[in-house]
Amino acid sequence: MATYQRIVEAALEVLATRGWRHASVAEVAARAGVTRGAVQHHFKDRDGLFTASVQHIMDTRIHEIEALQHADYPDGERTRTIVHTIIELHQGTSFTAALQLCVAASDDPTLRSRVAAMELEVGARGFWALIELLRLDGNDPTVRTTVQAFLDSARGLGLAGMLNDDSRRRRLVADRWAAMLDELHTTNPDTRLRPNP
Amino acid sequence: MATYQRIVEAALEVLATRGWRHASVAEVAARAGVTRGAVQHHFKDRDGLFTASVQHIMDTRIHEIEALQHADYPDGERTRTIVHTIIELHQGTSFTAALQLCVAASDDPTLRSRVAAMELEVGARGFWALIELLRLDGNDPTVRTTVQAFLDSARGLGLAGMLNDDSRRRRLVADRWAAMLDELHTTNPDTRLRPNP
């Protein structure tokens, strides 16, 4: 794995487990198996290391969502597969690391403006990628608010999965979301039979 | 305000802004305008102070949800009012304090089992209170997963509201949820005309 990638993954692990205040460059370097100098070569300073690592994983997640566009799905399983994938992307270390950053930013004016802007930008990109992926009409207010409710739900499932094994319930909620999102096609005949682009 | 209540509110403020590791009994006492001895009179130790304060606010929230049962609603506004209220209960200091506790617990085995149990118990009580409030059939799998998706969404909206002023989008998502939850009655004629108990 490239050094940059190794450092980012180590930074997310350290941020997720230690929290913003206790996450150190030294621990990231040790965990990535590189020198502190190597970390400094790639990242301006400590805060830059952790914010850029969260930004990097967010970008990666958006690309993963966009890449689903070209995946093959079994008949009738397209929405369900996409919904399950997006919900699972909101679980685990990268979710916890992003959450640690948000919680820290909520009480730190400098960090807050940076992280708030990142959240808005990533949120908008994820939203439009999903609209595209589900072949929905992003100009339809009902479509927009339903997709937003789904993305909020995915975040809420991320929280619920942090403390308890919530995987069974999560699958049931995901199946229900697939049905609710598919209903948007049924009520909107224009998009119902839109061919695979 | 009673001393206990003052201490709890101060503890939530301190936990929300300082985070689990930096939240101190001294700051809580100062903020509540009481002595450290007064705090120790009500709470066993530091960890007990903060976990009991989160438990207390969760209990209060559940009682607030249950109390909505007896509220008067304008015609056709019942579901919408309930949905908006529940979403707004997931905003602000008490949400951030609970989140700080969850994040800390995710990496602390002792705290984790306690907080995980609290989350399951509060989650189940909130779920059933809402089923009752919306006069839905809790045995219907579609009803159950839709209500769970809504509560996950409310949590996700809590996260989104921490960094940006998300109130406009939140109102739109809330209205959409009111419509989706009302549809559960339409598709289930038994509950459609159930009288106000």
Side-chain angles (χ1 to χ4, degrees), chain B residues 102-119:
Chain B
C102 284
V103 168
S106 76
D107 189 43
D108 178 327
T110 321
L111 199 57
R112 183 178 182 131
S113 60
R114 180 167 178 183
V115 179
M118 190 199 296
E119 203 223 352

Side-chain angles (χ1 to χ4, degrees), chain B residues 56-189:
Chain B
H56 182 83
I57 191 69
M58 296 283 197
D59 288 341
T60 307
R61 290 283 179 264
I62 300 285
H63 289 139
E64 284 169 12
I65 294 173
E66 286 165 351
L68 295 173
Q69 193 70 258
H70 311 293
D72 283 326
Y73 301 97
D75 277 356
E77 289 288 298
R78 182 183 172 90
T79 305
R80 201 171 154 269
T81 311
I82 291 168
V83 161
H84 278 260
T85 305
I86 286 178
I87 283 177
E88 292 309 315
L89 289 179
H90 287 79
Q91 298 287 318
T93 302
S94 57
F95 178 82
T96 310
L99 188 59
Q100 292 275 18
L101 184 63
C102 284
V103 168
S106 76
D107 189 43
D108 178 327
T110 321
L111 199 57
R112 183 178 182 131
S113 60
R114 180 167 178 183
V115 179
M118 190 199 296
E119 203 223 352
L120 284 181
E121 193 240 331
V122 171
R125 283 168 63 206
F127 171 80
W128 286 110
L130 184 55
I131 290 275
E132 182 95 348
L133 208 48
L134 297 175
R135 300 174 195 152
L136 291 165
D137 176 5
N139 293 315
D140 179 333
T142 301
V143 164
R144 295 168 70 103
T145 49
T146 311
V147 170
Q148 289 184 17
F150 165 65
L151 289 169
D152 289 313
S153 202
R155 263 182 236 136
L157 286 163
L159 284 183
M162 282 174 67
L163 295 183
N164 291 294
D165 176 8
D166 194 39
S167 51
R168 189 176 162 275
R169 186 184 79 88
R170 193 160 66 239
R171 279 195 298 275
L172 294 171
V173 172
D175 284 347
R176 180 64 189 131
W177 266 118
M180 289 195 285
L181 290 165
D182 270 342
E183 272 166 34
L184 293 172
H185 291 283
T186 317
T187 53
N188 199 340

